[in-house]
Amino acid sequence: MHRKERSFFHSILFRSSLWIVLPGVVGMLLVAYFVGIQMRYQIEKQITEEMQRVRDNSLLYVQQTLLLKDSRVDAVSFQLYKNEIEEQLSNAGYSGIFLCNPEGTLLAGDAKAFELRKEQEDFTRAREQESVFLVRYGNGGQCEVYFSMPVNLNGQFIGIISSFFDYGELYRGQSDAMQRMVWITVAVFTLICLIIWFTVYRILLPIRRLSQAASEISTHLADGRQGSMILNKLQLQGRKDEIGELCSNYMEMLQVTEEQFQKIRDDKDRILTLWSSRQEFYNNVTHELKTPLTTISGYAQLMEKNGPGDEALFYTATGHILKESTRLHRMVVQLLELQDKADAEEARRLNLAEIVENVTETMKIKANRYDNTLTLKGTKEYLPVTGKEDKIRQALINVIDNAIKYGEPGKPIHIRLTRQGGQVQVAVSNQGQGIRKDDLESIFEPFYRADKGLSRELGSSGLGLSIAARIMEEHQGYIKAASIPGKETVFTICFPAVE
Amino acid sequence: MKRRKHKRCIVFWGGILTAAVLSGCGVGEQDKTIVLPPLENQVMDSEKFRFAHIQQYIGSGNAENVLCLAWGGVGTDTLCLLKKEDGRYVYQAIDTREDTVLSSVFVDDRSLANVSIAPGGGYLSYEVQDGEEMNLIVFCPSQGIRQILHRWQGQEENFSYIWSDDGAMLFSWQNGDSGDAYKEWRVTRYEMETVPEEGFGYTVVSFQMKGNGRAWRSVCPNADGSEIYVREQLSAFDSNMSYNWLLLSDTATVEALPEYSKTPACPIRYTQAGLFVQEESGDIYLIEDIRSQPVKTKLVSGNEGTYAPFTYVCANGDHMFLMEWVNYSMYQISGARIVDGKVDGQPVVLYNDNYESLNEIKIVSDQAVVFWGEELLENNGYRYKVTVLRY
């Protein structure tokens, strides 16, 4: 079987890593962005509050300065005491100060720098009497604030104050703090990713091993190798988690599979054997049927040829034809019995001792003809079995008949009836040339004969023992044979005892 | 179908990632214009109450030699001070407009302590060691005469001396006769009586108080000195025991008052409007009708975690001034009107200056706030600076 190679990009490890890392990276970038936005928002909020204070203080400084000069609070005084106001603002920590009249004309401050400044939005809007500041963020952590405000005192617009404030230190401080936070987040996230990756790797490792094992098993199972051996190599069964449970179930499934495979193999062998037996059976049937027919046909042809005048031939031929036809008839009857599976007789409780005694009495006549004696030994108590009486009688007759035919003349045939454990046994023993060990296994097959010449001579069809074996099989019993060639042969019929 | 789904997934994540990368790198150079909200309310408040005139005077000589300052009187430009010259203490009256010394009078050549100049500069009080005893002396600069008001055995002690707004009465609390301030103490009103050609005399009204142990004691006379509010706040850390009395000078009687605060409270001033107190939280209250059923009204909330502002109230009780830090180098003075026992609007920032210039408010009258501070010289010395904020 071809093992399918898995791409790393289709692995759970890669996908889970992707699903953790990708959203994590995106999340961190978004967090960095929104933290940056939030940081600027906070700084702008802080600057706004400070600029409001700067505006309030600036108005106060202007008013204080003008009051100290004992002057009116108006545009003329603002222009007149511009230097004092600038000095006051400078003392208060203002830098980049420009003082202008309401029309935007510079009163105090650096004229050259004012050329650039006056175009800025904060200044242009201050001329429209709005207090505005412009925050300029630079890449190097600069955060410059340009603030312009109208000076509205006593309900009069008397001038414009512009100044500059450097918030770079605050911005850089917060920016550095944010960067540290982001880097800490990155480090923590990376650590979490590594832990998750390692955990997923650890979780998937036995599954990967299991997959490899399954692949090996699928490759080698057909060869009959033990898959469980491969699984044992994985050393996963000790685990008590889901993986261990999976492995245990997998092992169990594999064992069942192996048993099924073994059963299939056994069935296959049995089928092949049966097929072979069946062929042999038909060969034998053909042969056995053909032999008497050949005899009958031969004598019939001779009688036709010689005509009615050959009286000797007539009697010899009719004798042979009668004998062979009788044998043929008996053979057909037995074949029919062998195939008769739809027997209408119902199984019932029987006393086996009684049946055996009866059959023994019946068979004594035939035993006498072969110059043998039948002796029944063993228990005579009630031995109940369940079965069909005719069938049981048939099996006993076939076995005893076989013992009479193949027993040495003058030697006794013993029939012993015993009860052992859950079985009732009938042992039939005779003395004669016996059966070779090689033949013992096949004697219950139809038409099998250990000595074919002898069997036919004794008028055997070769079906008696196979019929007996089939009957015993029907009765959940069995028949077995043991033999010491030249001495004794014992056929034992076993029935399951019934209480 | 599967391929389309895969493609959509790639497009989605690609878009998100690109947006994230772009946005993550997007916080760079930027100009942002922010408009402040208009000032309408504050302008209205400041127009309600603001200083009409500011006057500053920077004196000559080092500030270290000036022991005490007082304004010569509301509506005048006279500054009164006690300064040390050549080891002698000299009282001077200075015309701040012309920057000329109007008068210079020798006061004492002994070591003075607890010096206090009466508003208007008519008298100054001080403690001085005289042999084995201490003397409380009042000096009248215009006549060059000194009177010993009180003598006691021992060293100088940081007793409290308060001049009335008209500068004619001196209020003090001192140890009782036993000398153990924990057990007994005394509140005294000295009323000066100037007799032309004959110098000056004084009358004394003294209240013997029973002490309740280690305690903070506050003495707050009213504007005309007829009533003196006294509070004894026991200083045990787990105790908020306090006692309140009203001392009636005209009848020399002591009247116990009901308590009005559940937390330690520091009296600021006893005025016509009522008693102004500041609690530990910085909250400022006006207690009306302290003699029978005190009614407590919060005027200003203190800011938790920050220094409580120094609070000053004029004698009429209709103007309140708060002196507080703005930042590490700036002080500001906020003010508010008190109308019908409540703050009219919110306290408005009226003045700010650096902390050297705004050292201590000396006078809060019904027309002006006078404070003094210092101005740094190039040789690391200081000159005293007096600022008068008229409203």
Side-chain angles (χ1 to χ4, degrees):
Chain A
M1 186 175 285
H2 176 66
R3 182 183 167 193
K4 192 176 179 182
E5 289 294 330
R6 173 178 39 78
S7 164
F8 172 72
F9 297 106
H10 289 101
S11 66
I12 293 174
L13 189 62
F14 174 75
R15 287 185 177 189
S16 58
S17 303
L18 201 66
W19 278 101
I20 293 165
V21 171
L22 205 60
V25 170
V26 170
M28 277 193 297
L29 286 169
L30 289 174
V31 164
Y33 175 67
F34 285 113
V35 167
I37 296 272
Q38 181 66 17
M39 187 191 74
R40 287 192 175 180
Y41 171 75
Q42 290 296 337
I43 286 177
E44 284 160 12
K45 194 177 167 190
Q46 188 177 342
I47 293 172
T48 302
E49 288 173 1
E50 289 191 16
M51 288 305 112
Q52 282 178 328
R53 278 200 294 275
V54 166
R55 178 175 61 180
D56 297 343
N57 289 340
S58 301
L59 292 175
L60 207 60
Y61 287 136
V62 171
Q63 190 173 19
Q64 278 177 203
T65 307
L66 296 181
L67 287 175
L68 268 170
K69 294 298 174 188
D70 221 358
S71 170
R72 290 165 57 87
V73 179
D74 57 17
V76 176
S77 301
F78 185 76
Q79 186 166 352
L80 189 62
Y81 295 107
K82 59 184 185 292
N83 293 330
E84 286 79 359
I85 294 170
E86 186 184 18
E87 186 185 351
Q88 175 77 31
L89 295 176
S90 181
N91 288 340
Y94 291 30
S95 59
I97 303 166
F98 298 104
L99 299 181
C100 301
N101 64 15
E103 289 75 35
T105 307
L106 182 66
L107 301 177
D110 185 353
K112 194 175 175 185
F114 183 69
E115 287 303 312
L116 291 172
R117 188 65 196 282
K118 69 180 182 183
E119 301 300 330
Q120 283 185 189
E121 190 182 357
D122 60 302
F123 188 80
T124 56
R125 293 184 73 166
R127 290 182 61 187
E128 296 163 8
Q129 300 196 43
E130 282 185 307
S131 298
V132 178
F133 67 90
L134 174 76
V135 190
R136 180 163 289 164
Y137 299 103
N139 277 333
Q142 294 97 335
C143 179
E144 297 169 346
V145 175
Y146 299 91
F147 177 59
S148 296
M149 56 168 283
V151 182
N152 280 309
L153 286 171
N154 298 342
Q156 297 178 66
F157 178 30
I158 64 173
I160 297 170
I161 296 175
S162 280
S163 54
F164 164 78
F165 300 90
D166 187 2
Y167 280 87
E169 196 175 339
L170 174 72
Y171 182 64
R172 282 189 292 277
Q174 293 200 10
S175 183
D176 289 348
M178 190 202 80
Q179 280 186 357
R180 276 195 296 275
M181 194 185 75
V182 168
W183 280 116
I184 288 169
T185 308
V186 167
V188 170
F189 175 74
T190 307
L191 188 65
I192 290 170
C193 279
L194 284 173
I195 291 169
I196 291 173
W197 191 90
F198 185 69
T199 307
V200 171
Y201 179 82
R202 290 261 307 168
I203 290 170
L204 291 177
L205 188 63
I207 295 176
R208 264 205 313 280
R209 286 180 182 167
L210 209 58
S211 170
Q212 286 171 355
S215 177
E216 282 186 40
I217 289 164
S218 63
T219 306
H220 300 298
L221 198 61
D223 305 341
R225 287 197 208 172
Q226 294 291 313
S228 51
M229 299 284 285
I230 297 167
L231 272 185
N232 283 334
K233 283 183 194 172
L234 298 179
Q235 298 177 336
L236 298 171
Q237 283 186 298
R239 296 175 68 128
K240 293 191 166 87
D241 54 8
E242 288 83 352
I243 300 294
E245 191 182 337
L246 171 66
C247 187
S248 176
N249 292 337
Y250 193 77
M251 287 278 287
E252 203 174 312
M253 186 194 76
L254 201 63
Q255 280 172 358
V256 171
T257 307
E258 282 179 1
E259 284 173 10
Q260 290 300 315
F261 261 89
Q262 189 59 42
K263 196 173 174 185
I264 289 167
R265 275 196 294 270
D266 291 347
D267 286 348
K268 181 185 169 188
D269 292 344
R270 195 177 298 116
I271 287 166
L272 287 173
T273 307
L274 282 174
W275 179 257
S276 174
S277 300
R278 185 184 172 90
Q279 278 302 114
E280 193 177 352
F281 173 78
Y282 280 108
N283 289 339
N284 289 336
V285 165
T286 308
H287 178 74
E288 292 300 323
L289 291 175
K290 205 167 84 177
T291 305
L293 284 174
T294 304
T295 306
I296 293 168
S297 175
Y299 278 110
Q301 286 173 359
L302 276 173
M303 285 173 72
E304 186 184 30
K305 184 180 176 184
N306 293 348
D310 192 345
E311 192 175 344
L313 178 64
F314 173 76
Y315 285 109
T316 304
T318 54
H320 280 290
I321 288 168
L322 192 62
K323 183 183 169 188
E324 290 301 321
S325 62
T326 304
R327 195 162 73 88
L328 200 59
H329 177 260
R330 192 169 61 242
M331 197 185 300
V332 169
V333 169
Q334 287 181 340
L335 270 173
L336 288 172
E337 286 177 354
L338 184 66
Q339 295 298 322
D340 185 13
K341 292 180 181 175
D343 198 327
E345 188 183 1
E346 291 292 327
R348 59 191 173 88
R349 191 182 180 90
L350 301 167
N351 183 0
L352 186 63
E354 188 182 336
I355 295 170
V356 171
E357 188 179 0
N358 188 272
V359 169
T360 305
E361 286 301 316
T362 305
M363 294 302 289
K364 274 183 180 176
I365 301 167
K366 189 169 184 177
N368 288 335
R369 208 188 312 156
Y370 282 81
D371 201 15
N372 282 331
T373 55
L374 285 178
T375 55
L376 178 62
K377 294 181 179 176
T379 182
K380 291 184 178 177
E381 64 184 29
Y382 179 70
L383 293 174
V385 294
T386 301
K388 299 173 182 176
E389 186 175 354
D390 288 347
K391 293 277 184 180
I392 295 171
R393 288 177 69 86
Q394 178 70 51
L396 290 169
I397 287 168
N398 287 1
V399 172
I400 295 169
D401 184 59
N402 204 55
I404 293 169
K405 282 181 192 172
Y406 295 103
E408 192 176 334
K411 298 290 183 180
I413 296 168
H414 300 291
I415 300 168
R416 182 179 294 276
L417 190 60
T418 57
R419 177 171 187 153
Q420 290 186 345
Q423 290 184 336
V424 179
Q425 293 183 351
V426 181
V428 179
S429 64
N430 68 352
Q431 294 177 23
Q433 70 178 62
I435 307 167
R436 293 194 305 274
K437 191 179 179 183
D438 295 343
D439 293 329
L440 279 175
E441 293 177 0
S442 306
I443 56 174
F444 297 106
E445 293 173 13
F447 297 112
Y448 188 88
R449 295 187 184 87
D451 187 340
K452 292 181 173 58
L454 183 61
S455 297
R456 192 164 303 119
E457 189 182 319
L458 297 172
S460 171
S461 62
L463 293 169
L465 287 179
S466 65
I467 289 169
R470 189 175 293 269
I471 289 168
M472 290 314 296
E473 195 176 326
E474 285 177 22
H475 286 76
Q476 285 81 43
Y478 61 88
I479 182 170
K480 63 181 181 181
S483 178
I484 302 171
K487 289 189 175 179
E488 187 182 40
T489 300
V490 180
F491 282 85
T492 306
I493 297 170
C494 295
F495 290 93
V498 178
E499 293 300 326
Chain B
M1 191 72 179
K2 193 176 176 183
R3 179 165 290 186
R4 280 181 62 192
K5 190 179 173 186
H6 193 234
K7 198 174 177 180
R8 277 207 301 268
C9 190
I10 289 173
V11 169
F12 172 74
W13 278 110
I16 291 281
L17 192 61
T18 308
V21 169
L22 290 176
S23 62
C25 302
V27 184
E29 289 185 8
Q30 189 185 8
D31 280 2
K32 192 168 182 181
T33 305
I34 295 171
V35 181
L36 298 184
L39 264 174
E40 290 171 13
N41 293 334
Q42 292 181 36
V43 169
M44 285 169 68
D45 284 341
S46 65
E47 283 178 353
K48 276 182 184 175
F49 178 44
R50 61 184 173 81
F51 293 126
H53 183 258
I54 300 173
Q55 183 183 350
Q56 269 185 348
Y57 173 74
I58 299 171
S60 58
N62 277 328
E64 291 90 341
N65 293 328
V66 178
L67 266 71
C68 188
L69 287 167
W71 199 246
V74 175
T76 70
D77 297 324
T78 307
L79 175 68
C80 307
L81 59 88
L82 181 73
K83 64 190 299 187
K84 198 172 185 181
E85 281 183 356
D86 301 328
R88 292 150 44 97
Y89 291 97
V90 177
Y91 171 87
Q92 286 185 339
I94 299 169
D95 185 339
T96 55
R97 289 275 179 199
E98 301 299 328
D99 196 12
T100 56
V101 177
L102 299 174
S103 62
S104 183
V105 182
F106 166 73
V107 177
D108 213 320
D109 54 5
R110 294 171 292 181
S111 179
L112 309 185
N114 283 336
V115 180
S116 179
I117 301 176
Y123 300 95
L124 69 92
S125 64
Y126 59 88
E127 290 176 1
V128 68
Q129 186 87 31
D130 184 16
E132 295 296 317
E133 63 181 18
M134 288 292 293
N135 293 340
L136 170 62
I137 293 175
V138 167
F139 178 76
C140 178
S142 60
Q143 296 179 329
I145 299 171
R146 66 175 65 88
Q147 294 269 10
I148 298 174
L149 301 184
H150 184 59
R151 301 167 192 269
W152 70 95
Q153 293 292 320
Q155 302 298 312
E156 67 175 82
E157 295 192 37
N158 288 320
F159 296 130
S160 174
Y161 301 105
I162 303 162
W163 282 98
S164 61
D165 279 5
D166 62 3
M169 294 181 205
L170 177 67
F171 301 87
S172 74
W173 80 261
Q174 294 170 307
N175 289 349
D177 293 337
S178 68
D180 186 353
Y182 291 173
K183 290 182 178 174
E184 59 166 353
W185 53 301
R186 181 186 296 140
V187 177
T188 310
R189 187 188 80 172
Y190 303 96
E191 186 173 7
M192 311 304 157
E193 292 175 349
T194 305
V195 183
E197 308 289 327
E198 295 180 13
F200 76 96
Y202 61 92
T203 58
V204 178
V205 180
S206 189
F207 299 89
Q208 192 68 31
M209 309 295 292
K210 185 185 175 188
N212 294 289
R214 185 180 175 85
W216 292 103
R217 287 163 186 159
S218 304
V219 176
C220 298
N222 65 356
D224 61 8
S226 60
E227 296 177 358
I228 307 166
Y229 168 78
V230 177
R231 180 178 177 84
E232 191 175 53
Q233 177 86 49
L234 300 186
S235 59
F237 74 97
D238 57 347
S239 168
N240 186 36
M241 285 294 291
S242 57
Y243 302 92
N244 302 280
W245 299 277
L246 193 65
L247 315 183
L248 305 173
S249 304
D250 296 339
T251 58
T253 54
V254 178
E255 189 178 315
L257 302 178
E259 178 55 55
Y260 49 80
S261 178
K262 292 177 181 175
T263 60
C266 176
I268 298 167
R269 191 149 193 188
Y270 181 45
T271 69
Q272 291 176 9
L275 177 68
F276 288 78
V277 295
Q278 189 166 27
E279 293 193 344
E280 271 189 328
S281 60
D283 297 347
I284 298 167
Y285 293 90
L286 172 63
I287 316 293
E288 295 175 285
D289 199 7
I290 61 170
R291 298 179 75 166
S292 54
Q293 198 70 35
V295 178
K296 189 174 173 184
T297 308
K298 185 188 277 190
L299 301 176
V300 176
S301 294
N303 293 321
E304 289 289 343
T306 61
Y307 290 109
F310 297 101
T311 309
Y312 303 88
V313 180
C314 73
N316 290 336
D318 56 0
H319 286 89
M320 180 173 67
F321 299 92
L322 311 172
M323 191 178 82
E324 57 195 324
W325 287 95
V326 179
N327 53 40
Y328 62 92
S329 65
M330 298 292 291
Y331 263 129
Q332 73 177 20
I333 295 174
S334 306
R337 280 181 184 157
I338 312 295
V339 179
D340 297 332
K342 291 179 183 173
V343 173
D344 184 22
Q346 289 288 318
V348 181
V349 177
L350 300 170
Y351 183 85
N352 59 12
D353 210 335
N354 60 54
Y355 79 100
E356 291 102 346
S357 299
L358 211 169
N359 196 342
E360 183 187 4
I361 290 182
K362 293 299 292 182
I363 298 170
V364 176
S365 75
D366 294 337
Q367 297 173 5
V369 175
V370 182
F371 61 87
W372 77 295
E374 291 158 340
E375 190 178 74
L376 185 63
L377 297 174
E378 289 180 355
N379 62 359
N380 289 331
Y382 289 91
R383 290 190 302 180
Y384 65 91
K385 184 164 84 173
V386 178
T387 306
V388 181
L389 308 172
R390 291 198 173 87
Y391 60 94

